[in-house]
PDB file of all heavy atoms in Angstrom:
ATOM      1  N   TRP D  86      -2.344   5.915   7.135  1.00  0.00           N
ATOM      2  CA  TRP D  86      -0.957   5.580   7.012  1.00  0.00           C
ATOM      3  C   TRP D  86      -0.701   4.142   6.696  1.00  0.00           C
ATOM      4  O   TRP D  86       0.106   3.813   5.829  1.00  0.00           O
ATOM      5  CB  TRP D  86      -0.286   5.899   8.373  1.00  0.00           C
ATOM      6  CG  TRP D  86       0.141   7.389   8.501  1.00  0.00           C
ATOM      7  CD1 TRP D  86      -0.362   8.219   9.464  1.00  0.00           C
ATOM      8  CD2 TRP D  86       1.004   8.048   7.670  1.00  0.00           C
ATOM      9  NE1 TRP D  86       0.186   9.420   9.195  1.00  0.00           N
ATOM     10  CE2 TRP D  86       1.053   9.427   8.110  1.00  0.00           C
ATOM     11  CE3 TRP D  86       1.797   7.763   6.510  1.00  0.00           C
ATOM     12  CZ2 TRP D  86       1.727  10.410   7.535  1.00  0.00           C
ATOM     13  CZ3 TRP D  86       2.480   8.737   5.963  1.00  0.00           C
ATOM     14  CH2 TRP D  86       2.515  10.045   6.456  1.00  0.00           C
ATOM     15  N   GLN D  87      -1.442   3.268   7.201  1.00  0.00           N
ATOM     16  CA  GLN D  87      -1.280   1.870   6.920  1.00  0.00           C
ATOM     17  C   GLN D  87      -1.575   1.517   5.341  1.00  0.00           C
ATOM     18  O   GLN D  87      -0.800   0.817   4.800  1.00  0.00           O
ATOM     19  CB  GLN D  87      -2.273   1.015   7.802  1.00  0.00           C
ATOM     20  CG  GLN D  87      -2.018  -0.480   7.589  1.00  0.00           C
ATOM     21  CD  GLN D  87      -2.913  -1.270   8.579  1.00  0.00           C
ATOM     22  OE1 GLN D  87      -3.770  -0.750   9.263  1.00  0.00           O
ATOM     23  NE2 GLN D  87      -2.701  -2.640   8.556  1.00  0.00           N
ATOM     24  N   GLU D  88      -2.630   2.135   4.893  1.00  0.00           N
ATOM     25  CA  GLU D  88      -2.923   1.870   3.422  1.00  0.00           C
ATOM     26  C   GLU D  88      -1.975   2.614   2.555  1.00  0.00           C
ATOM     27  O   GLU D  88      -1.728   2.194   1.452  1.00  0.00           O
ATOM     28  CB  GLU D  88      -4.334   2.228   3.282  1.00  0.00           C
ATOM     29  CG  GLU D  88      -5.325   1.247   3.945  1.00  0.00           C
ATOM     30  CD  GLU D  88      -6.821   1.533   3.693  1.00  0.00           C
ATOM     31  OE1 GLU D  88      -7.198   1.953   2.687  1.00  0.00           O
ATOM     32  OE2 GLU D  88      -7.570   1.215   4.680  1.00  0.00           O
ATOM     33  N   LEU D  89      -1.432   3.800   2.932  1.00  0.00           N
ATOM     34  CA  LEU D  89      -0.490   4.456   2.061  1.00  0.00           C
ATOM     35  C   LEU D  89       0.792   3.596   2.006  1.00  0.00           C
ATOM     36  O   LEU D  89       1.388   3.570   0.906  1.00  0.00           O
ATOM     37  CB  LEU D  89      -0.065   5.798   2.711  1.00  0.00           C
ATOM     38  CG  LEU D  89      -1.111   6.858   2.573  1.00  0.00           C
ATOM     39  CD1 LEU D  89      -0.771   8.097   3.284  1.00  0.00           C
ATOM     40  CD2 LEU D  89      -1.357   7.193   1.034  1.00  0.00           C
ATOM     41  N   GLY D  90       1.194   3.013   3.097  1.00  0.00           N
ATOM     42  CA  GLY D  90       2.412   2.151   3.102  1.00  0.00           C
ATOM     43  C   GLY D  90       3.699   2.953   2.818  1.00  0.00           C
ATOM     44  O   GLY D  90       4.655   2.462   2.251  1.00  0.00           O
ATOM     45  N   MET D  91       3.633   4.312   3.218  1.00  0.00           N
ATOM     46  CA  MET D  91       4.801   5.120   2.914  1.00  0.00           C
ATOM     47  C   MET D  91       5.219   5.725   4.318  1.00  0.00           C
ATOM     48  O   MET D  91       4.477   5.968   5.163  1.00  0.00           O
ATOM     49  CB  MET D  91       4.387   6.317   1.948  1.00  0.00           C
ATOM     50  CG  MET D  91       3.981   5.775   0.594  1.00  0.00           C
ATOM     51  SD  MET D  91       3.218   7.105  -0.399  1.00  0.00           S
ATOM     52  CE  MET D  91       4.576   8.062  -0.882  1.00  0.00           C
ATOM     53  N   PRO D  92       6.525   6.104   4.362  1.00  0.00           N
ATOM     54  CA  PRO D  92       6.921   6.732   5.652  1.00  0.00           C
ATOM     55  C   PRO D  92       6.465   8.124   5.711  1.00  0.00           C
ATOM     56  O   PRO D  92       6.099   8.797   4.681  1.00  0.00           O
ATOM     57  CB  PRO D  92       8.475   6.726   5.580  1.00  0.00           C
ATOM     58  CG  PRO D  92       8.751   6.649   4.091  1.00  0.00           C
ATOM     59  CD  PRO D  92       7.599   5.916   3.484  1.00  0.00           C
ATOM     60  N   SER D  93       6.410   8.790   6.882  1.00  0.00           N
ATOM     61  CA  SER D  93       6.001  10.172   7.051  1.00  0.00           C
ATOM     62  C   SER D  93       7.023  11.125   6.459  1.00  0.00           C
ATOM     63  O   SER D  93       8.305  10.938   6.569  1.00  0.00           O
ATOM     64  CB  SER D  93       5.818  10.475   8.562  1.00  0.00           C
ATOM     65  OG  SER D  93       5.514  11.854   8.715  1.00  0.00           O
ATOM     66  N   GLY D  94       6.568  12.231   5.856  1.00  0.00           N
ATOM     67  CA  GLY D  94       7.429  13.242   5.395  1.00  0.00           C
ATOM     68  C   GLY D  94       7.721  14.261   6.502  1.00  0.00           C
ATOM     69  O   GLY D  94       8.457  15.229   6.205  1.00  0.00           O
ATOM     70  N   LEU D  95       7.231  14.040   7.673  1.00  0.00           N
ATOM     71  CA  LEU D  95       7.579  14.948   8.774  1.00  0.00           C
ATOM     72  C   LEU D  95       7.394  16.416   8.453  1.00  0.00           C
ATOM     73  O   LEU D  95       8.281  17.202   8.453  1.00  0.00           O
ATOM     74  CB  LEU D  95       8.984  14.672   9.326  1.00  0.00           C
ATOM     75  CG  LEU D  95       9.325  13.181   9.724  1.00  0.00           C
ATOM     76  CD1 LEU D  95      10.776  12.970  10.000  1.00  0.00           C
ATOM     77  CD2 LEU D  95       8.425  12.790  10.880  1.00  0.00           C
ATOM     78  N   ALA D  96       6.167  16.715   8.135  1.00  0.00           N
ATOM     79  CA  ALA D  96       5.920  18.059   7.532  1.00  0.00           C
ATOM     80  C   ALA D  96       6.419  19.187   8.400  1.00  0.00           C
ATOM     81  O   ALA D  96       6.829  20.233   7.929  1.00  0.00           O
ATOM     82  CB  ALA D  96       4.399  18.236   7.252  1.00  0.00           C
ATOM     83  N   TYR D  97       6.347  19.078   9.782  1.00  0.00           N
ATOM     84  CA  TYR D  97       6.740  20.221  10.650  1.00  0.00           C
ATOM     85  C   TYR D  97       7.792  19.706  11.648  1.00  0.00           C
ATOM     86  O   TYR D  97       7.811  20.231  12.733  1.00  0.00           O
ATOM     87  CB  TYR D  97       5.497  20.721  11.393  1.00  0.00           C
ATOM     88  CG  TYR D  97       4.486  21.306  10.328  1.00  0.00           C
ATOM     89  CD1 TYR D  97       3.285  20.555  10.086  1.00  0.00           C
ATOM     90  CD2 TYR D  97       4.669  22.527   9.781  1.00  0.00           C
ATOM     91  CE1 TYR D  97       2.449  21.037   9.229  1.00  0.00           C
ATOM     92  CE2 TYR D  97       3.733  22.995   8.882  1.00  0.00           C
ATOM     93  CZ  TYR D  97       2.544  22.220   8.593  1.00  0.00           C
ATOM     94  OH  TYR D  97       1.704  22.745   7.685  1.00  0.00           O
ATOM     95  N   ALA D  98       8.650  18.804  11.293  1.00  0.00           N
ATOM     96  CA  ALA D  98       9.665  18.320  12.149  1.00  0.00           C
ATOM     97  C   ALA D  98      10.740  19.338  12.358  1.00  0.00           C
ATOM     98  O   ALA D  98      11.073  20.233  11.582  1.00  0.00           O
ATOM     99  CB  ALA D  98      10.192  17.036  11.532  1.00  0.00           C
ATOM    100  N   LYS D  99      11.416  19.155  13.582  1.00  0.00           N
ATOM    101  CA  LYS D  99      12.610  19.953  13.872  1.00  0.00           C
ATOM    102  C   LYS D  99      13.753  19.035  13.361  1.00  0.00           C
ATOM    103  O   LYS D  99      14.597  18.541  14.211  1.00  0.00           O
ATOM    104  CB  LYS D  99      12.689  20.131  15.422  1.00  0.00           C
ATOM    105  CG  LYS D  99      11.579  21.111  15.757  1.00  0.00           C
ATOM    106  CD  LYS D  99      11.611  21.401  17.204  1.00  0.00           C
ATOM    107  CE  LYS D  99      10.509  22.336  17.736  1.00  0.00           C
ATOM    108  NZ  LYS D  99      10.513  22.535  19.152  1.00  0.00           N
ATOM    109  N   GLY D 100      13.879  18.843  12.202  1.00  0.00           N
ATOM    110  CA  GLY D 100      14.864  17.972  11.540  1.00  0.00           C
ATOM    111  C   GLY D 100      14.727  17.995  10.094  1.00  0.00           C
ATOM    112  O   GLY D 100      14.088  18.844   9.476  1.00  0.00           O
ATOM    113  N   LEU D 101      15.326  17.019   9.441  1.00  0.00           N
ATOM    114  CA  LEU D 101      15.247  16.884   8.047  1.00  0.00           C
ATOM    115  C   LEU D 101      13.873  16.615   7.444  1.00  0.00           C
ATOM    116  O   LEU D 101      13.191  15.721   7.944  1.00  0.00           O
ATOM    117  CB  LEU D 101      16.168  15.740   7.554  1.00  0.00           C
ATOM    118  CG  LEU D 101      16.197  15.494   5.992  1.00  0.00           C
ATOM    119  CD1 LEU D 101      16.976  16.605   5.361  1.00  0.00           C
ATOM    120  CD2 LEU D 101      16.671  14.199   5.663  1.00  0.00           C
TER     121      LEU D 101
END
Side-chain angles (χ1 to χ4, degrees):
W86 278 116
Q87 185 175 6
E88 291 181 34
L89 284 172
M91 299 169 73
S93 172
L95 304 172
Y97 299 101
K99 293 179 181 176
L101 178 74

